Amino acid sequence: MSLIKLTIKGISYSQTQSGAYALVLSEMEGNRTLPIIIGAFEAQSIAIALEKEIRPPRPLTHDLFKTFSDRFSINIKEVIIHKLVDGVFFSSLVCEKDGVEETIDTRTSDAIAIAVRFKAPIFTHENILDKAGIYLKLEEELAINETSDLEKETIEIEDFNINEAKNSFSDLSVSELNEQLSKAVEDENYELAAKIRDEISKRS
């Protein structure tokens, strides 16, 4: 069965399930997208891996998996979303060590969080895209503010008034903003950190 390569198009807050997020994958050579509902932790982990300038002070679970695999020379070759049952996607990690290939069953959200860290390709089968793939304008249907490098993609991790925080940036100097950025990362307030980083970039 032929495989279709997918790319991560964006992440948005799920309109159908409280506390969940919609991870949107799109086929590389086509117009179909594959929305997958994932939990807040997995959404945070994927967003942090995509965000090049923000690093958590301590490794997340998927970071630990990457470090462990690197230490023991295990490579993740690809991720395959191979089955869809009652709205649940099933995936596999294709791993390789010393020329020996193994396939490991995994949740799709974990598989993609790991794939981003290994820069491994993500695939699915044509029949899954036929069943669950949809044609849509992402910005209109899912309110995803997409940029070419995904640098503006952030996840709401904690309850805080982000607009209030953003308005206060104008009163701070660049050095003070850098201090605030370090503190936000230290406190794992990654959405706030992304906003501060954007403010610093605007002043550069």
Side-chain angles (χ1 to χ4, degrees):
M1 193 180 297
S2 63
L3 292 173
I4 297 172
K5 190 173 184 180
L6 303 172
T7 185
I8 298 174
K9 197 71 174 174
I11 304 172
S12 74
Y13 192 77
S14 173
Q15 303 299 314
T16 59
Q17 293 187 29
S18 176
Y21 291 80
L23 169 67
V24 182
L25 305 176
S26 64
E27 57 180 334
M28 294 287 285
E29 299 179 2
N31 299 319
R32 287 173 295 181
T33 59
L34 196 64
I36 300 173
I37 301 301
I38 62 176
F41 171 77
E42 291 77 14
Q44 173 191 353
S45 182
I46 293 168
I48 288 173
L50 291 171
E51 178 61 69
K52 305 302 181 188
E53 296 181 25
I54 296 177
R55 287 290 175 266
R58 300 293 297 154
L60 301 178
T61 303
H62 300 112
D63 297 321
L64 176 61
F65 183 94
K66 174 71 163 63
T67 302
F68 178 89
S69 300
D70 288 344
R71 189 66 55 87
F72 291 95
S73 302
I74 300 168
N75 183 45
I76 304 300
K77 291 183 64 179
E78 60 189 17
V79 165
I80 301 175
I81 303 171
H82 61 83
K83 188 165 65 172
L84 174 62
V85 179
D86 296 329
V88 178
F89 293 91
F90 292 76
S91 295
S92 299
L93 286 176
V94 180
C95 313
E96 184 182 44
K97 177 176 170 62
D98 299 331
V100 178
E101 196 173 283
E102 297 284 348
T103 300
I104 300 174
D105 182 46
T106 179
R107 296 188 309 168
T108 298
S109 55
D110 288 327
I112 292 172
I114 291 168
V116 173
R117 286 163 170 80
F118 280 88
K119 296 180 173 55
I122 303 166
F123 296 97
T124 193
H125 296 296
E126 178 69 39
N127 66 324
I128 291 177
L129 267 178
D130 284 341
K131 281 200 292 185
I134 55 177
Y135 295 88
L136 48 70
K137 292 180 180 178
L138 293 177
E139 290 78 10
E140 293 177 4
E141 296 293 329
L142 293 172
I144 295 174
N145 295 318
E146 180 197 353
T147 60
S148 59
D149 57 4
L150 291 171
E151 285 195 357
K152 291 184 181 176
E153 185 62 66
T154 56
I155 300 300
E156 184 177 350
I157 306 303
E158 299 181 11
D159 293 327
F160 56 85
N161 193 326
I162 193 67
N163 291 324
E164 225 173 76
K166 188 175 181 180
N167 290 335
S168 68
F169 294 159
S170 58
D171 300 327
L172 300 176
S173 66
V174 173
S175 61
E176 288 172 327
L177 284 171
N178 280 313
E179 288 178 13
Q180 292 287 333
L181 176 60
S182 298
K183 186 177 186 308
V185 172
E186 200 173 300
D187 293 340
E188 300 186 10
N189 287 346
Y190 301 115
E191 183 174 5
L192 179 59
K195 297 291 183 184
I196 296 172
R197 184 216 59 216
D198 289 344
E199 178 67 22
I200 293 171
S201 297
K202 277 194 288 185
R203 299 191 191 184
S204 300

